[in-house]
Amino acid sequence: DQQVKQNSPSLSVQEGRISILNCDYTNSMFDYFLWYKKYPAEGPTFLISISSIKDKNEDGRFTVFLNKSAKHLSLHIVPSQPGDSAVYFCAASARGGTSYGKLTFGQGTILTVHP
Amino acid sequence: DAGVIQSPRHEVTEMGQEVTLRCKPISGHDYLFWYRQTMMRGLELLIYFNNNVPIDDSGMPEDRFSAKMPNASFSTLKIQPSEPRDSAVYFCASSEQGARNQPQHFGDGTRLSIL
């Protein structure tokens, strides 16, 4: 039972254009969402997060949008740069009990930005 | 400030042998997480600790796996006996108290190959 899904295994975009990575979730208890970026042979690094009380959070070139009714979130990168080429993971956290601080990850999307 | 440190970075061993993975979390972080990444299952949480106490070990695949955190600066994940299907990248992560909305910081992982 995959509670966090990233249905696109890969995405290829041209440098300078927008990259849009998508994520869907099924657990209605999830109320905090994060995006992590991972380079080969390294651990994931935190990129940006959003609480369910918001529908948008922006940090420089990165913006995360949350649509609670659709249980969908997306990460926009504008403009995309070759250094953004990495695997992007969507993650979600639920409130309460042993779920405190626990993250459920999606399968990841490989982003390739071409010069 | 040093990040999460994992050792070894690579481990190759034969089926049936005991494997011990080590993790040093970021100083001051009260939460420690062990994850496993495989092609089939993605990044999945195995167990996490709060103040050295195991909180949720529901992700531990079977009794061959065990994890300990004897003090705030050290944790181990042990597999005994190891099997080829345990081959994966194992990540350790830590986060601050109130980890609910604090990003987790990951180590660079241990790539484990069981022959």
Side-chain angles (χ1 to χ4, degrees):
Chain A
D1 176 26
Q2 212 170 344
Q3 300 184 59
V4 178
K5 299 179 184 179
Q6 295 176 255
N7 292 318
S8 297
S10 63
L11 175 68
S12 182
V13 300
Q14 207 66 33
E15 180 179 6
R17 306 295 287 266
I18 184 171
S19 295
I20 300 176
L21 298 105
N22 294 303
C23 178
D24 298 295
Y25 61 96
T26 57
N27 188 341
S28 58
M29 296 298 289
F30 288 150
D31 66 345
Y32 188 66
F33 305 89
L34 307 90
W35 285 93
Y36 280 78
K37 179 169 74 172
K38 184 182 179 306
Y39 293 117
E42 294 183 10
T45 56
F46 170 72
L47 195 55
I48 192 169
S49 63
I50 187 167
S51 166
S52 62
I53 62 173
K54 296 184 175 181
D55 54 20
K56 177 183 174 181
N57 189 27
E58 197 170 350
D59 183 2
R61 296 186 297 114
F62 303 91
T63 303
V64 57
F65 295 91
L66 175 62
N67 182 334
K68 290 183 288 296
S69 60
K71 292 191 175 66
H72 176 84
L73 64 155
S74 60
L75 174 69
H76 293 212
I77 306 174
V78 182
S80 301
Q81 299 173 353
D84 296 329
S85 298
V87 180
Y88 288 79
F89 290 97
C90 170
S93 173
R95 52 188 173 271
T98 58
S99 296
Y100 189 91
K102 182 177 171 178
L103 294 179
T104 301
F105 282 84
Q107 292 286 85
T109 297
I110 301 170
L111 173 65
T112 304
V113 180
H114 298 283
Chain B
D1 185 23
V4 175
I5 299 172
Q6 291 187 246
S7 63
R9 289 297 312 272
H10 304 274
E11 175 86 14
V12 181
T13 192
E14 292 189 345
M15 185 174 81
Q17 296 297 306
E18 178 178 292
V19 173
T20 299
L21 311 181
R22 296 173 176 81
C23 175
K24 177 179 168 56
I26 293 172
S27 178
H29 282 191
D30 293 320
Y31 284 77
L32 184 137
F33 305 82
W34 281 102
Y35 291 88
R36 177 172 69 174
Q37 184 184 22
T38 61
M39 290 293 293
M40 292 295 294
R41 300 175 67 90
L43 195 61
E44 53 179 344
L45 178 67
L46 301 177
I47 184 171
Y48 81 93
F49 296 82
N50 178 23
N51 291 322
N52 314 336
V53 176
I55 302 300
D56 185 344
D57 66 354
S58 59
M60 295 286 261
E62 48 196 276
D63 291 345
R64 298 184 297 106
F65 285 68
S66 63
K68 293 182 180 179
M69 192 165 185
N71 58 63
S73 58
F74 183 65
S75 178
T76 60
L77 177 67
K78 189 172 293 188
I79 309 173
Q80 166 64 14
S82 58
E83 296 183 4
R85 60 193 168 118
D86 302 330
S87 298
V89 181
Y90 291 81
F91 290 101
C92 176
S94 70
S95 62
E96 296 178 38
Q97 178 67 15
R100 175 75 175 92
N101 292 340
Q102 297 288 331
Q104 295 178 15
H105 299 261
F106 283 76
D108 286 337
T110 295
R111 182 172 294 276
L112 177 64
S113 297
I114 308 297
L115 307 177

